[in-house]
Amino acid sequence: MNQPAILVAPTADTAEAVVAEHCIAAIAAHPRIVLGLATGRTMVGVYDKIVAGCARASLSLAGVTTFNLDEYCGLPEGHPASFRAYMRRHLIDRTDIDPARSHVPIGIDGAGYERLIAMAGGIDLQLLGIGRNGHIGFNEPGSAITSRTRIVTLAPTTLEDNRDAFDGCAPREAMTMGIATILGAREIVLLATGPAKAEALADAFGGPVRAGNPASALQRHPRVTVVCDADAAARLDPALRQIAATP
Ligand code: F6R
């Protein structure tokens, strides 16, 4: 079991900056890096800061390959709440990243997505958010630690959290990388901000690995960094917290 470094930044903005700077440094060191990407409200500020930081440093993303964690099933191409549209809005259309190297798990079966990841050489750096029920990707509580990319049914709390984006008729299924797929990444950075994430975060890293909190599986990975703001850190055991060096 590994206890990940849990870096606490004073605000969501500084926590996002810590994650963005980590990604920018990784891209600068390895321009052909393979990134695993998350969507959601937490990541919007991270992508804003990656876009701004890369522009400032004249850093090209043309060699980068990306694999998104998940996508809703059944949404028409171009639906504004789809994760494809999210990635175009927040990253792809704002950088020189090659859309042909930016993958989202849709229009392909789970085994095919796993093959694409393997053919790219595996994921070097995986970004994660966390659901208030502890989900990572859309691996809801009960997901097996051995799970791979597949179609899942979304939990009621997830449907509730995402309802606003869909005018009341949110998709009930999604394709998601599995927990084993996520653990296959060489490095993982999880970002959690806001008080709604405090309980899931404390439970993921303050207790044993258990299917009831999918993020707890990250204790099985040797290279995980958790970055959070003070609100999300509120229920963490103080012994687990480290102060983030803010950029
Ligand atoms: C999204 C994803 C999810 C989100 C999580 C948190 O691609 O994989 O696990 O990271 O639901 O979402 P927000 O950031 O909206 O609270």
Side-chain angles (χ1 to χ4, degrees):
M1 217 68 73
N2 294 284
Q3 195 45 252
I6 303 187
L7 308 180
V8 183
T11 64
D13 191 60
T14 45
E16 291 159 6
V18 169
V19 173
E21 286 305 319
H22 189 93
C23 293
I24 292 168
I27 296 164
H30 184 6
R32 300 189 69 77
I33 194 168
V34 179
L35 296 175
L37 298 179
T39 59
R41 290 171 283 267
T42 312
M43 292 296 157
V44 170
V46 174
Y47 294 127
D48 283 347
K49 291 170 175 65
I50 290 177
V51 169
C54 288
R56 245 189 336 264
S58 304
L59 185 62
S60 171
L61 298 181
V64 172
T65 300
T66 65
F67 288 93
N68 269 77
L69 281 164
D70 40 21
E71 176 61 292
Y72 294 109
C73 293
L75 290 183
E77 174 76 40
H79 191 292
S82 71
F83 292 161
R84 287 157 284 178
Y86 175 107
M87 290 314 301
R88 279 197 296 274
R89 231 171 17 247
H90 294 293
L91 188 69
I92 296 168
D93 291 352
R94 303 165 73 195
T95 64
D96 63 350
I97 209 163
D98 180 356
R101 300 165 83 102
S102 297
H103 306 280
V104 174
I106 199 77
I108 188 167
D109 64 13
Y113 201 61
E114 297 272 343
R115 265 195 306 277
L116 275 186
I117 294 173
M119 278 161 51
I123 291 173
D124 295 307
L125 173 59
Q126 175 69 57
L127 286 190
L128 295 177
I130 182 171
R132 65 187 161 103
N133 63 0
H135 73 209
I136 48 174
F138 277 142
N139 294 283
E140 303 286 20
S143 299
I145 199 162
T146 51
S147 55
R148 309 222 61 115
T149 306
R150 69 209 184 285
I151 290 176
V152 295
T153 301
L154 298 173
T157 51
T158 305
L159 293 173
E160 196 181 305
D161 288 346
N162 298 337
R163 197 178 42 203
D164 287 354
F166 289 100
D167 282 341
C169 52
R172 294 181 172 276
E173 292 189 328
M175 172 86 91
T176 181
M177 283 187 200
I179 296 180
T181 320
I182 292 170
L183 294 179
R186 292 181 187 90
E187 183 187 3
I188 298 174
V189 174
L190 181 146
L191 174 64
T193 54
K197 305 298 171 67
E199 198 170 323
L201 197 64
D203 183 56
F205 300 108
V209 173
R210 54 183 193 93
N213 186 321
S216 68
L218 299 174
Q219 295 181 40
R220 295 267 167 88
H221 193 283
R223 208 167 159 217
V224 176
T225 306
V226 175
V227 181
C228 56
D229 66 356
D231 286 338
R235 303 195 56 178
L236 277 173
D237 180 342
L240 299 177
R241 306 183 202 177
Q242 298 171 31
I243 310 252
T246 48

